[in-house]
Amino acid sequence: INLVSNNQLQILNGCTLGDFRGQFTSIQPRGCSVIDYFTVSSKLRNHVNFMKVQDLTMYSDHRPLVMELRSPPIKVEPSKPLHEVYEKSSPRFIFNETTRTTFTDSLSSDSATDALNKLNANIETLTLTPPSHSLIKTVRDLNDSFTEHIRSLASAAFKQTKVKTQAKRQQKNNPWFNWHARNAKRELRKATSKATNITSQFPSSTLIREKFYKVKGNYKRLLKKCEKEYFEHLN
């Protein structure tokens, strides 16, 4: 309640289309209560279409809550290539005691200090600027500049991890990949599909997972056996 009050949020339970009565969300042997909520801000409140407390399921003693929001249409440009639509992920750096010292020295260098002082001066100027759309863009630009500044220092101090690309193994081109291996691969695919379907319904079941990993282990051992026997036959 303090979290809702301090952040000026509104509770949707009991006062929203689909749940005007405030249905119970927690079903216990000793009684029922409402302890699961949807809370939204006052601006988002007008975009809520409905909220509903669904029926009790076998997976929990709490009833699921569903809320539908109304949003403006999203313009999708499928003609653009993926590298233009999605931003590149942030680089990952290798951290150790030696590089930590180098990075600390870079942070205290004259060039880094001057860059941070310029950013700080721009931030102080923004505090005196009235809110506007241009101000939001300027804040984003400052945030990007600060992020790029720290990233450049980290790139100079740390080594980056290599991006691993998993190349698809062409097992069909391996001469030792015989019909035993193909049959085992077929069985592994069946076990994978079965395990995926059943675990989605019974996530706490360990029997299906044990069977799947047993089939997967047998498949890997069979591949090693086929490869070993093939090269032994050549010798």
Side-chain angles (χ1 to χ4, degrees):
I1 299 300
N2 290 334
L3 176 65
V4 174
S5 176
N6 294 336
N7 292 277
Q8 298 181 353
L9 301 177
Q10 298 180 11
I11 297 177
L12 299 182
N13 300 59
C15 60
T16 309
L17 179 65
D19 187 44
F20 284 123
R21 296 184 178 181
Q23 299 186 38
F24 294 122
T25 62
S26 177
I27 312 299
Q28 303 296 332
R30 296 185 178 180
C32 305
S33 60
V34 180
I35 60 174
D36 304 286
Y37 305 97
F38 266 131
T39 59
V40 296
S41 62
S42 56
K43 293 183 179 180
L44 189 60
R45 182 67 177 85
N46 296 329
H47 296 276
V48 177
N49 284 341
F50 68 86
M51 173 223 159
K52 184 178 180 181
V53 180
Q54 295 186 322
D55 296 334
L56 191 67
T57 65
M58 60 183 298
Y59 305 111
S60 174
D61 52 10
H62 290 252
R63 299 172 66 181
L65 274 65
V66 177
M67 178 177 62
E68 181 180 290
L69 295 175
R70 182 175 60 259
S71 63
I74 301 174
K75 295 183 179 180
V76 180
E77 299 181 4
S79 58
K80 286 188 176 181
L82 289 179
H83 68 274
E84 294 183 6
V85 176
Y86 297 101
E87 296 182 358
K88 293 183 179 180
S89 60
S90 302
R92 301 175 62 183
F93 302 100
I94 302 175
F95 184 87
N96 53 42
E97 289 299 324
T98 304
T99 56
R100 181 179 69 85
T101 304
T102 306
F103 182 66
T104 304
D105 294 339
S106 300
L107 288 175
S108 58
S109 63
D110 294 337
S111 59
T113 304
D114 293 339
L116 291 177
N117 288 335
K118 290 180 180 179
L119 287 172
N120 188 39
N122 293 332
I123 293 174
E124 291 180 353
T125 303
L126 287 178
T127 57
L128 305 176
T129 305
S132 62
H133 292 289
S134 59
L135 177 62
I136 296 176
K137 184 179 182 303
T138 306
V139 171
R140 290 177 179 174
D141 293 340
L142 282 176
N143 181 69
D144 293 339
S145 300
F146 176 74
T147 303
E148 185 60 32
H149 171 67
I150 298 299
R151 186 177 297 170
S152 62
L153 295 178
S155 300
F158 303 122
K159 291 183 178 180
Q160 297 186 19
T161 58
K162 296 181 179 180
V163 179
K164 297 182 179 179
T165 56
Q166 296 181 352
K168 189 175 181 180
R169 297 180 62 185
Q170 299 293 333
Q171 292 177 332
K172 62 180 181 180
N173 295 331
N174 294 326
W176 51 264
F177 196 77
N178 53 24
W179 69 273
H180 292 288
R182 286 192 292 270
N183 185 57
K185 186 176 182 179
R186 192 179 301 111
E187 294 298 324
L188 177 61
R189 287 177 178 174
K190 292 180 181 179
T192 303
S193 178
K194 184 177 180 180
T196 303
N197 294 333
I198 297 181
T199 52
S200 62
Q201 301 178 8
F202 305 98
S204 60
S205 175
T206 60
L207 179 61
I208 299 299
R209 286 196 292 269
E210 291 176 357
K211 288 185 177 180
F212 166 73
Y213 285 112
K214 183 178 180 180
V215 174
K216 186 176 181 180
N218 292 337
Y219 172 70
K220 290 184 177 181
R221 285 189 290 271
L222 179 62
L223 292 186
K224 293 181 180 179
K225 180 181 178 182
C226 292
E227 184 179 7
K228 181 180 179 182
E229 290 179 351
Y230 175 79
F231 287 107
E232 286 179 351
H233 179 70
L234 292 179
N235 296 330

